[in-house]
PDB file of all heavy atoms in Angstrom:
ATOM      1  N   LYS A  55     180.018 106.193  -6.840  1.00 94.00           N
ATOM      2  CA  LYS A  55     180.010 107.332  -7.746  1.00 94.00           C
ATOM      3  C   LYS A  55     178.976 107.103  -8.829  1.00 94.00           C
ATOM      4  O   LYS A  55     178.695 105.962  -9.207  1.00 94.00           O
ATOM      5  CB  LYS A  55     181.388 107.562  -8.353  1.00 94.00           C
ATOM      6  CG  LYS A  55     181.899 106.385  -9.174  1.00 94.00           C
ATOM      7  CD  LYS A  55     183.304 106.661  -9.674  1.00 94.00           C
ATOM      8  CE  LYS A  55     183.805 105.459 -10.478  1.00 94.00           C
ATOM      9  NZ  LYS A  55     185.213 105.664 -10.921  1.00 94.00           N
ATOM     10  N   GLU A  56     178.424 108.196  -9.311  1.00 92.00           N
ATOM     11  CA  GLU A  56     177.452 108.143 -10.397  1.00 92.00           C
ATOM     12  C   GLU A  56     177.805 109.204 -11.426  1.00 92.00           C
ATOM     13  O   GLU A  56     178.174 110.320 -11.050  1.00 92.00           O
ATOM     14  CB  GLU A  56     176.038 108.433  -9.868  1.00 92.00           C
ATOM     15  CG  GLU A  56     175.476 107.398  -8.920  1.00 92.00           C
ATOM     16  CD  GLU A  56     174.987 106.152  -9.635  1.00 92.00           C
ATOM     17  OE1 GLU A  56     174.815 106.219 -10.865  1.00 92.00           O
ATOM     18  OE2 GLU A  56     174.795 105.117  -8.959  1.00 92.00           O
ATOM     19  N   LYS A  57     177.661 108.870 -12.691  1.00 94.00           N
ATOM     20  CA  LYS A  57     177.914 109.852 -13.740  1.00 94.00           C
ATOM     21  C   LYS A  57     176.802 110.886 -13.783  1.00 94.00           C
ATOM     22  O   LYS A  57     175.628 110.557 -13.589  1.00 94.00           O
ATOM     23  CB  LYS A  57     178.004 109.148 -15.095  1.00 94.00           C
ATOM     24  CG  LYS A  57     179.233 108.259 -15.244  1.00 94.00           C
ATOM     25  CD  LYS A  57     179.265 107.617 -16.621  1.00 94.00           C
ATOM     26  CE  LYS A  57     180.504 106.740 -16.755  1.00 94.00           C
ATOM     27  NZ  LYS A  57     180.548 106.075 -18.087  1.00 94.00           N
ATOM     28  N   GLY A  58     177.214 112.106 -14.047  1.00 92.00           N
ATOM     29  CA  GLY A  58     176.243 113.162 -14.266  1.00 92.00           C
ATOM     30  C   GLY A  58     175.982 113.340 -15.752  1.00 92.00           C
ATOM     31  O   GLY A  58     176.031 112.378 -16.517  1.00 92.00           O
ATOM     32  N   ASP A  59     175.759 114.564 -16.152  1.00 91.00           N
ATOM     33  CA  ASP A  59     175.418 114.833 -17.552  1.00 91.00           C
ATOM     34  C   ASP A  59     176.632 114.912 -18.473  1.00 91.00           C
ATOM     35  O   ASP A  59     176.527 114.651 -19.663  1.00 91.00           O
ATOM     36  CB  ASP A  59     174.624 116.144 -17.636  1.00 91.00           C
ATOM     37  CG  ASP A  59     173.293 116.054 -16.911  1.00 91.00           C
ATOM     38  OD1 ASP A  59     172.643 114.998 -17.025  1.00 91.00           O
ATOM     39  OD2 ASP A  59     172.915 117.026 -16.232  1.00 91.00           O
ATOM     40  N   ILE A  60     177.792 115.280 -17.923  1.00 95.00           N
ATOM     41  CA  ILE A  60     178.983 115.452 -18.768  1.00 95.00           C
ATOM     42  C   ILE A  60     180.219 114.802 -18.144  1.00 95.00           C
ATOM     43  O   ILE A  60     181.201 115.450 -17.835  1.00 95.00           O
ATOM     44  CB  ILE A  60     179.265 116.960 -19.041  1.00 95.00           C
ATOM     45  CG1 ILE A  60     179.303 117.759 -17.728  1.00 95.00           C
ATOM     46  CG2 ILE A  60     178.214 117.546 -19.969  1.00 95.00           C
ATOM     47  CD1 ILE A  60     179.960 119.115 -17.875  1.00 95.00           C
ATOM     48  N   PRO A  61     180.227 113.488 -17.978  1.00 96.00           N
ATOM     49  CA  PRO A  61     181.351 112.826 -17.313  1.00 96.00           C
ATOM     50  C   PRO A  61     182.577 112.591 -18.189  1.00 96.00           C
ATOM     51  O   PRO A  61     183.655 112.276 -17.673  1.00 96.00           O
ATOM     52  CB  PRO A  61     180.739 111.486 -16.899  1.00 96.00           C
ATOM     53  CG  PRO A  61     179.736 111.211 -17.977  1.00 96.00           C
ATOM     54  CD  PRO A  61     179.162 112.561 -18.356  1.00 96.00           C
ATOM     55  N   GLU A  62     182.442 112.775 -19.485  1.00 96.00           N
ATOM     56  CA  GLU A  62     183.539 112.428 -20.398  1.00 96.00           C
ATOM     57  C   GLU A  62     184.776 113.269 -20.104  1.00 96.00           C
ATOM     58  O   GLU A  62     184.702 114.487 -20.011  1.00 96.00           O
ATOM     59  CB  GLU A  62     183.098 112.643 -21.856  1.00 96.00           C
ATOM     60  CG  GLU A  62     181.954 111.761 -22.318  1.00 96.00           C
ATOM     61  CD  GLU A  62     180.583 112.241 -21.839  1.00 96.00           C
ATOM     62  OE1 GLU A  62     180.469 113.435 -21.469  1.00 96.00           O
ATOM     63  OE2 GLU A  62     179.641 111.438 -21.816  1.00 96.00           O
ATOM     64  N   GLY A  63     185.897 112.589 -19.973  1.00 96.00           N
ATOM     65  CA  GLY A  63     187.156 113.270 -19.718  1.00 96.00           C
ATOM     66  C   GLY A  63     187.456 113.474 -18.245  1.00 96.00           C
ATOM     67  O   GLY A  63     188.508 114.020 -17.891  1.00 96.00           O
ATOM     68  N   TYR A  64     186.537 113.026 -17.398  1.00 98.00           N
ATOM     69  CA  TYR A  64     186.692 113.195 -15.948  1.00 98.00           C
ATOM     70  C   TYR A  64     186.537 111.854 -15.237  1.00 98.00           C
ATOM     71  O   TYR A  64     185.895 110.944 -15.738  1.00 98.00           O
ATOM     72  CB  TYR A  64     185.629 114.149 -15.390  1.00 98.00           C
ATOM     73  CG  TYR A  64     185.578 115.510 -16.011  1.00 98.00           C
ATOM     74  CD1 TYR A  64     184.696 115.781 -17.066  1.00 98.00           C
ATOM     75  CD2 TYR A  64     186.396 116.536 -15.546  1.00 98.00           C
ATOM     76  CE1 TYR A  64     184.639 117.037 -17.642  1.00 98.00           C
ATOM     77  CE2 TYR A  64     186.339 117.794 -16.112  1.00 98.00           C
ATOM     78  CZ  TYR A  64     185.463 118.040 -17.161  1.00 98.00           C
ATOM     79  OH  TYR A  64     185.408 119.287 -17.721  1.00 98.00           O
ATOM     80  N   SER A  65     187.123 111.768 -14.065  1.00 97.00           N
ATOM     81  CA  SER A  65     186.843 110.678 -13.142  1.00 97.00           C
ATOM     82  C   SER A  65     186.831 111.271 -11.736  1.00 97.00           C
ATOM     83  O   SER A  65     187.181 112.437 -11.547  1.00 97.00           O
ATOM     84  CB  SER A  65     187.883 109.560 -13.250  1.00 97.00           C
ATOM     85  OG  SER A  65     189.167 110.043 -12.904  1.00 97.00           O
ATOM     86  N   VAL A  66     186.365 110.475 -10.771  1.00 97.00           N
ATOM     87  CA  VAL A  66     186.275 110.966  -9.401  1.00 97.00           C
ATOM     88  C   VAL A  66     186.754 109.888  -8.436  1.00 97.00           C
ATOM     89  O   VAL A  66     186.856 108.705  -8.790  1.00 97.00           O
ATOM     90  CB  VAL A  66     184.837 111.393  -9.013  1.00 97.00           C
ATOM     91  CG1 VAL A  66     184.419 112.654  -9.745  1.00 97.00           C
ATOM     92  CG2 VAL A  66     183.860 110.240  -9.265  1.00 97.00           C
ATOM     93  N   SER A  67     187.020 110.346  -7.223  1.00 97.00           N
ATOM     94  CA  SER A  67     187.441 109.427  -6.167  1.00 97.00           C
ATOM     95  C   SER A  67     186.830 109.871  -4.861  1.00 97.00           C
ATOM     96  O   SER A  67     186.880 111.060  -4.516  1.00 97.00           O
ATOM     97  CB  SER A  67     188.965 109.423  -6.060  1.00 97.00           C
ATOM     98  OG  SER A  67     189.388 108.687  -4.936  1.00 97.00           O
ATOM     99  N   ARG A  68     186.255 108.916  -4.138  1.00 97.00           N
ATOM    100  CA  ARG A  68     185.723 109.220  -2.809  1.00 97.00           C
ATOM    101  C   ARG A  68     186.157 108.087  -1.871  1.00 97.00           C
ATOM    102  O   ARG A  68     185.414 107.144  -1.662  1.00 97.00           O
ATOM    103  CB  ARG A  68     184.200 109.348  -2.835  1.00 97.00           C
ATOM    104  CG  ARG A  68     183.668 109.850  -1.472  1.00 97.00           C
ATOM    105  CD  ARG A  68     182.602 110.840  -1.648  1.00 97.00           C
ATOM    106  NE  ARG A  68     182.120 111.336  -0.361  1.00 97.00           N
ATOM    107  CZ  ARG A  68     180.840 111.376  -0.047  1.00 97.00           C
ATOM    108  NH1 ARG A  68     179.928 110.928  -0.891  1.00 97.00           N
ATOM    109  NH2 ARG A  68     180.484 111.867   1.113  1.00 97.00           N
ATOM    110  N   GLU A  69     187.311 108.240  -1.319  1.00 96.00           N
ATOM    111  CA  GLU A  69     187.865 107.255  -0.386  1.00 96.00           C
ATOM    112  C   GLU A  69     187.440 107.508   1.049  1.00 96.00           C
ATOM    113  O   GLU A  69     187.392 106.588   1.866  1.00 96.00           O
ATOM    114  CB  GLU A  69     189.390 107.246  -0.490  1.00 96.00           C
ATOM    115  CG  GLU A  69     189.910 106.807  -1.850  1.00 96.00           C
ATOM    116  CD  GLU A  69     189.545 105.367  -2.162  1.00 96.00           C
ATOM    117  OE1 GLU A  69     189.635 104.510  -1.259  1.00 96.00           O
ATOM    118  OE2 GLU A  69     189.137 105.087  -3.311  1.00 96.00           O
ATOM    119  N   LYS A  70     187.159 108.776   1.358  1.00 96.00           N
ATOM    120  CA  LYS A  70     186.677 109.145   2.686  1.00 96.00           C
ATOM    121  C   LYS A  70     185.413 109.973   2.531  1.00 96.00           C
ATOM    122  O   LYS A  70     185.228 110.662   1.532  1.00 96.00           O
ATOM    123  CB  LYS A  70     187.741 109.947   3.439  1.00 96.00           C
ATOM    124  CG  LYS A  70     188.981 109.161   3.780  1.00 96.00           C
ATOM    125  CD  LYS A  70     189.935 110.001   4.612  1.00 96.00           C
ATOM    126  CE  LYS A  70     191.157 109.185   4.991  1.00 96.00           C
ATOM    127  NZ  LYS A  70     192.106 109.965   5.822  1.00 96.00           N
ATOM    128  N   LYS A  71     184.585 109.915   3.535  1.00 95.00           N
ATOM    129  CA  LYS A  71     183.278 110.572   3.453  1.00 95.00           C
ATOM    130  C   LYS A  71     183.405 112.073   3.211  1.00 95.00           C
ATOM    131  O   LYS A  71     182.610 112.671   2.502  1.00 95.00           O
ATOM    132  CB  LYS A  71     182.493 110.311   4.739  1.00 95.00           C
ATOM    133  CG  LYS A  71     181.031 110.711   4.667  1.00 95.00           C
ATOM    134  CD  LYS A  71     180.306 110.293   5.928  1.00 95.00           C
ATOM    135  CE  LYS A  71     178.819 110.565   5.804  1.00 95.00           C
ATOM    136  NZ  LYS A  71     178.086 110.142   7.013  1.00 95.00           N
ATOM    137  N   GLU A  72     184.403 112.705   3.805  1.00 96.00           N
ATOM    138  CA  GLU A  72     184.490 114.151   3.750  1.00 96.00           C
ATOM    139  C   GLU A  72     185.188 114.676   2.497  1.00 96.00           C
ATOM    140  O   GLU A  72     185.185 115.867   2.260  1.00 96.00           O
ATOM    141  CB  GLU A  72     185.226 114.677   4.994  1.00 96.00           C
ATOM    142  CG  GLU A  72     186.703 114.309   5.074  1.00 96.00           C
ATOM    143  CD  GLU A  72     186.939 112.987   5.795  1.00 96.00           C
ATOM    144  OE1 GLU A  72     185.982 112.196   5.927  1.00 96.00           O
ATOM    145  OE2 GLU A  72     188.091 112.766   6.211  1.00 96.00           O
ATOM    146  N   ARG A  73     185.779 113.797   1.703  1.00 97.00           N
ATOM    147  CA  ARG A  73     186.609 114.252   0.590  1.00 97.00           C
ATOM    148  C   ARG A  73     186.140 113.667  -0.735  1.00 97.00           C
ATOM    149  O   ARG A  73     185.894 112.460  -0.858  1.00 97.00           O
ATOM    150  CB  ARG A  73     188.061 113.842   0.849  1.00 97.00           C
ATOM    151  CG  ARG A  73     189.053 114.368  -0.151  1.00 97.00           C
ATOM    152  CD  ARG A  73     190.472 113.930   0.220  1.00 97.00           C
ATOM    153  NE  ARG A  73     190.873 114.494   1.503  1.00 97.00           N
ATOM    154  CZ  ARG A  73     191.478 115.660   1.652  1.00 97.00           C
ATOM    155  NH1 ARG A  73     191.782 116.383   0.580  1.00 97.00           N
ATOM    156  NH2 ARG A  73     191.817 116.093   2.834  1.00 97.00           N
ATOM    157  N   PHE A  74     186.053 114.545  -1.736  1.00 97.00           N
ATOM    158  CA  PHE A  74     185.600 114.123  -3.067  1.00 97.00           C
ATOM    159  C   PHE A  74     186.523 114.786  -4.080  1.00 97.00           C
ATOM    160  O   PHE A  74     186.561 116.017  -4.154  1.00 97.00           O
ATOM    161  CB  PHE A  74     184.144 114.544  -3.275  1.00 97.00           C
ATOM    162  CG  PHE A  74     183.454 113.934  -4.468  1.00 97.00           C
ATOM    163  CD1 PHE A  74     183.714 112.630  -4.860  1.00 97.00           C
ATOM    164  CD2 PHE A  74     182.505 114.656  -5.175  1.00 97.00           C
ATOM    165  CE1 PHE A  74     183.050 112.056  -5.932  1.00 97.00           C
ATOM    166  CE2 PHE A  74     181.823 114.094  -6.253  1.00 97.00           C
ATOM    167  CZ  PHE A  74     182.099 112.796  -6.632  1.00 97.00           C
ATOM    168  N   SER A  75     187.244 113.972  -4.821  1.00 97.00           N
ATOM    169  CA  SER A  75     188.240 114.497  -5.753  1.00 97.00           C
ATOM    170  C   SER A  75     187.765 114.349  -7.192  1.00 97.00           C
ATOM    171  O   SER A  75     187.185 113.314  -7.561  1.00 97.00           O
ATOM    172  CB  SER A  75     189.563 113.743  -5.583  1.00 97.00           C
ATOM    173  OG  SER A  75     190.016 113.838  -4.254  1.00 97.00           O
ATOM    174  N   LEU A  76     188.031 115.369  -7.968  1.00 98.00           N
ATOM    175  CA  LEU A  76     187.755 115.330  -9.409  1.00 98.00           C
ATOM    176  C   LEU A  76     189.092 115.222 -10.130  1.00 98.00           C
ATOM    177  O   LEU A  76     190.013 115.973  -9.828  1.00 98.00           O
ATOM    178  CB  LEU A  76     187.021 116.593  -9.844  1.00 98.00           C
ATOM    179  CG  LEU A  76     186.661 116.697 -11.327  1.00 98.00           C
ATOM    180  CD1 LEU A  76     185.588 115.674 -11.686  1.00 98.00           C
ATOM    181  CD2 LEU A  76     186.181 118.103 -11.667  1.00 98.00           C
ATOM    182  N   ILE A  77     189.164 114.297 -11.068  1.00 98.00           N
ATOM    183  CA  ILE A  77     190.423 114.032 -11.760  1.00 98.00           C
ATOM    184  C   ILE A  77     190.234 114.226 -13.262  1.00 98.00           C
ATOM    185  O   ILE A  77     189.285 113.678 -13.849  1.00 98.00           O
ATOM    186  CB  ILE A  77     190.894 112.587 -11.489  1.00 98.00           C
ATOM    187  CG1 ILE A  77     191.020 112.360  -9.976  1.00 98.00           C
ATOM    188  CG2 ILE A  77     192.234 112.309 -12.185  1.00 98.00           C
ATOM    189  CD1 ILE A  77     190.881 110.937  -9.542  1.00 98.00           C
TER     190      ILE A  77
END
Side-chain angles (χ1 to χ4, degrees):
Chain A
K55 61 183 179 183
E56 294 283 344
K57 292 181 180 179
D59 296 320
I60 52 163
E62 297 79 19
Y64 304 94
S65 62
V66 290
S67 172
R68 187 139 181 230
E69 296 296 318
K70 294 184 178 181
K71 191 174 186 179
E72 67 270 18
R73 186 179 297 270
F74 192 36
S75 303
L76 180 69
I77 304 155

